[in-house]
């Protein structure tokens, strides 16, 4: 069944098709993730071409099909996340976020909350917030879309909410220091990293501006989240490999910030 419709959408990916056409995957607010066939996009002065660039949001108008390919006929209210488009580091993190969205939901799965969450992540990244923190928050809160809901708020054994914690697969959540001996195979993660992951599991993007982490803490957080994704999700995205490699050479292209301070965000 086909109907003429319009929806706000975020470009997830695109690839050339034949000589002048494109297949564009768009995460739409009203109909979920859909693949669109766009004819003649490589022709000169194609008016909708800017709306199909990576890291672009717009209202897409066309025929939305319940099966097979859909079609974009026109667009309006085009907004580009310009800084992400122009910065190789930001585009690396942005691509990874969008790849995660693509992996987390099925085609045509209506999920306006995830759409808004994705929009907020890209917007905050484009406005200059730390892309690593943005990404960490996104990864942790996206676990639910993969069917994973770890207990972060309190010790899975006694309910304690304060102190040092570690993550336990056996108990499906965090264990306080008093119960670490119950699971010798717990992650043995850095307690500071666990603290921030617990914070990230519930924080909203409008509250992150005050979080400023040392590089060492970021690395420990990265290690913890990687363990979670390896155990529970098991996807290996090229964009994730790229941002891991990027960490080894970004200091060559970016000035170091010696004033970076740890922000001990409250639980």
């Amino acid at each position: 069944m086909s109907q003429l419709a319009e929806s706000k959408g975020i470009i997830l990916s695109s690839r050339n098709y034949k000589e002048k056409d494109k297949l564009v995957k768009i995460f739409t607010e009203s109909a979920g993730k859909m693949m669109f066939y766009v004819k003649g996009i490589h022709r000169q002065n194609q008016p909708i071409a800017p709306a199909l660039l990576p890291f672009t949001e717009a209202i897409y108008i066309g025929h939305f099909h319940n099966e097979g390919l859909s079609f974009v006929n026109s667009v309006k209210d085009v907004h580009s996340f310009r800084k992400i488009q122009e910065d190789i580091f930001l585009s690396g993190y942005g691509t990874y976020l969008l790849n995660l969205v693509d992996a987390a939901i099925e085609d045509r799965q209506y999920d306006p909350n995830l759409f808004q969450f994705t929009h907020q992540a890209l917007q905050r990244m484009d406005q200059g917030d730390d892309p690593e923190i943005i990404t960490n928050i996104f990864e942790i809160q996206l676990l639910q879309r993969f069917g994973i809901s770890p207990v972060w708020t309190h010790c899975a054994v006694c309910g304690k909410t304060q102190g040092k914690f570690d993550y336990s697969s056996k108990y499906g959540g965090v264990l306080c220091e008093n119960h670490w001996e119950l699971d010798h195979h717990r992650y043995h993660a850095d307690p500071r990293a666990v603290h921030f992951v617990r914070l990230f599991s519930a924080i909203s993007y409008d509250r992150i501006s005050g979080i400023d982490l040392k590089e060492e803490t970021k690395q420990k957080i990265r290690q913890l989240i990687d363990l979670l994704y390896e155990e529970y999700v098991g996807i290996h995205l090229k964009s994730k490999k790229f941002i891991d490699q990027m960490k080894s050479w970004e200091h060559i292209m970016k000035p170091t910030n010696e004033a970076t301070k740890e922000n001990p965000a409250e639980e």
Side-chain angles (χ1 to χ4, degrees), residues 26-37:
I26 303 176
F27 184 17
T28 71
E29 185 175 29
S30 65
K33 181 180 69 175
M34 304 178 73
M35 184 69 79
F36 290 84
Y37 180 61

Side-chain angles (χ1 to χ4, degrees), residues 1-248:
M1 181 178 178
S2 170
Q3 57 180 343
L4 185 63
E6 66 176 57
S7 175
K8 183 179 290 187
I10 298 171
I11 299 295
L12 290 179
S13 63
S14 67
R15 66 177 187 268
N16 293 330
Y17 183 75
K18 298 183 178 179
E19 185 177 347
K20 297 181 179 180
D21 308 331
K22 265 186 181 294
L23 293 175
V24 184
K25 189 178 292 185
I26 303 176
F27 184 17
T28 71
E29 185 175 29
S30 65
K33 181 180 69 175
M34 304 178 73
M35 184 69 79
F36 290 84
Y37 180 61
V38 186
K39 297 185 66 175
I41 192 61
H42 295 302
R43 293 171 183 161
Q44 191 173 10
N45 298 322
Q46 171 57 262
I48 68 173
L52 303 180
L53 294 173
F55 310 114
T56 300
E57 183 179 76
I59 294 177
Y60 298 91
I61 305 165
H63 288 85
F64 291 18
H65 292 181
N66 293 329
E67 295 181 356
L69 297 174
S70 297
F71 297 87
V72 173
N73 299 329
S74 59
V75 298
K76 62 182 181 182
D77 299 340
V78 180
H79 170 72
S80 298
F81 297 101
R82 187 68 63 189
K83 288 185 179 179
I84 302 178
Q85 289 177 339
E86 296 174 350
D87 187 304
I88 187 173
F89 301 102
L90 294 181
S91 65
Y93 286 106
T95 298
Y96 176 52
L97 294 189
L98 296 178
N99 288 170
L100 281 176
V101 171
D102 195 2
I105 57 172
E106 300 293 332
D107 289 351
R108 301 176 180 84
Q109 179 179 331
Y110 177 65
D111 197 336
N113 291 330
L114 179 57
F115 180 90
Q116 184 61 25
F117 187 52
T118 304
H119 165 82
Q120 290 174 341
L122 294 174
Q123 184 178 54
R124 296 305 295 248
M125 197 179 293
D126 199 57
Q127 291 173 350
D129 287 312
D130 190 322
E132 291 180 76
I133 293 176
I134 294 288
T135 300
N136 293 157
I137 293 171
F138 198 88
E139 290 171 301
I140 290 300
Q141 296 192 21
L142 195 68
L143 282 173
Q144 293 185 356
R145 296 309 196 285
F146 291 106
I148 311 301
S149 299
V151 177
W152 295 113
T153 55
H154 57 273
C155 175
V157 174
C158 69
K160 187 177 180 181
T161 61
Q162 302 291 327
K164 293 183 179 181
F165 292 85
D166 195 7
Y167 186 81
S168 167
S169 302
K170 178 180 178 180
Y171 289 91
V174 292
L175 295 180
C176 71
E177 191 174 12
N178 295 335
H179 293 103
W180 285 354
E181 77 280 358
L182 295 178
D183 184 5
H184 297 296
H185 298 289
R186 58 189 172 84
Y187 277 21
H188 295 87
D190 183 276
R192 194 71 180 160
V194 179
H195 165 74
F196 280 105
V197 167
R198 293 180 66 212
L199 176 69
F200 292 168
S201 70
I203 198 170
S204 61
Y205 279 129
D206 58 7
R207 293 180 55 209
I208 69 169
S209 57
I211 301 177
D212 193 9
L213 303 181
K214 295 178 181 178
E215 187 60 34
E216 180 183 1
T217 303
K218 289 183 179 181
Q219 291 174 0
K220 298 296 185 181
I221 293 171
R222 178 75 271 153
Q223 291 169 7
L224 173 55
I225 295 177
D226 283 350
L227 285 172
L228 288 164
Y229 265 74
E230 184 63 32
E231 177 174 2
Y232 291 114
V233 181
I235 59 174
H236 300 91
L237 301 171
K238 291 182 179 179
S239 52
K240 172 58 168 60
K241 184 177 181 180
F242 176 79
I243 64 173
D244 288 343
Q245 294 173 337
M246 186 172 67
K247 293 296 293 181
S248 66

